[in-house]
Amino acid sequence: MSAYLTPLTGPADSRVTLLDLALGGPGPDAVPPRTPHPADTRPLLGEPLALDLLNTRWDTPDGPRDLLADADGHRIWLASAGLADRCTADPASRAATRQAREALHAAARAPRDPQSLAAVDRLLEHGALRHRLTPTGPSAAVEVDDPAWLAGWLALDDYLHLLAAAPERIRSCAGPHRLPLWFYDTSRNGMRRWCSMAECGNRAKAARYQRRAQVTAAR
């Protein structure tokens, strides 16, 4: 394997994902939160990298959309994910990222399915985290067998960290979506159900109110 990122210094423990390391690591010197690209019009932004990749497909009144359907959308997603300066934006990279997205989607929908798990494992073989001890202390570098796999591999690794932290907090929106958006529930009580309370949550409340009104009227 060849390293396609410069060595990344900092402790790599269960609280630090490879994306954290790639973007500078958490702590007082961490980089600011990711800033979405101005042309990124997806309805849900800012989720952890793995779920943000899943959310590159979503529903619209005019039908399904796919941000990775073309080269421009791929570049927009890399920018929103904070990876534009680290990952290639070429056809091979887009194909690899789409393949990682398919594996993530299958695993998220069927987290106990052996075939889905095996598919993620196969793609994880494209990369590794190489630890080294240097005169200035521990360092780590992400290594992939092909630079096209860096973004997808980081997303797969991020998903593993989410599973290790709190798998029950990985949720898909309970709204009536053909392509539900995914989110990591950081609410205090862990009871979030909607990608957006202002949209899906309010629609669900309105639907419940209407059903109750219909039942009352029928009595």
Side-chain angles (χ1 to χ4, degrees):
M1 289 189 181
S2 299
Y4 290 101
L5 290 179
T6 54
L8 309 168
T9 58
D13 61 22
S14 61
R15 296 167 298 172
V16 183
T17 69
L18 297 186
L19 184 63
D20 289 329
L21 292 170
L23 298 181
D29 297 323
V31 296
R34 289 175 291 165
T35 302
H37 189 283
D40 194 343
T41 59
R42 291 177 293 159
L44 182 60
L45 301 173
E47 291 299 318
L49 182 65
L51 307 185
D52 189 66
L53 177 56
L54 290 178
N55 291 340
T56 54
R57 288 188 297 198
W58 73 99
D59 289 331
T60 74
D62 298 323
R65 291 282 307 277
D66 184 351
L67 191 61
L68 303 184
D70 55 42
D72 287 341
H74 181 215
R75 284 191 288 270
I76 289 170
W77 178 73
L78 288 175
S80 289
L83 297 173
D85 295 334
R86 297 166 175 86
C87 300
T88 57
D90 54 29
S93 175
R94 183 159 62 94
T97 303
R98 286 169 63 98
Q99 190 174 346
R101 182 180 64 181
E102 292 303 318
L104 280 172
H105 186 257
R109 287 179 59 88
R112 298 185 182 276
D113 176 56
Q115 291 185 338
S116 299
L117 303 182
V120 170
D121 284 345
R122 284 195 297 271
L123 298 188
L124 284 169
E125 292 177 1
H126 285 286
L129 179 64
R130 180 74 65 185
H131 294 278
R132 294 183 176 87
L133 183 59
T134 72
T136 58
S139 71
V142 178
E143 296 184 356
V144 287
D145 56 13
D146 185 322
W149 274 101
L150 184 54
W153 192 87
L154 286 168
L156 292 166
D157 173 80
D158 183 62
Y159 182 64
L160 266 60
H161 280 268
L162 296 179
L163 287 174
E168 73 281 0
R169 297 252 176 174
I170 301 173
R171 306 266 176 81
S172 60
C173 181
H177 303 286
R178 289 169 296 176
L179 293 172
L181 295 170
W182 293 81
F183 59 88
Y184 192 69
D185 185 2
T186 58
S187 65
R188 184 182 297 272
N189 61 8
M191 298 296 289
R192 179 180 168 187
R193 297 183 60 201
W194 319 106
C195 59
S196 168
M197 191 62 204
E199 296 293 335
C200 294
N202 283 340
R203 282 200 297 267
K205 285 184 176 181
R208 288 197 299 269
Y209 177 83
Q210 186 175 15
R211 286 195 297 269
R212 286 197 297 267
Q214 290 173 342
V215 170
T216 301
R219 289 176 181 173

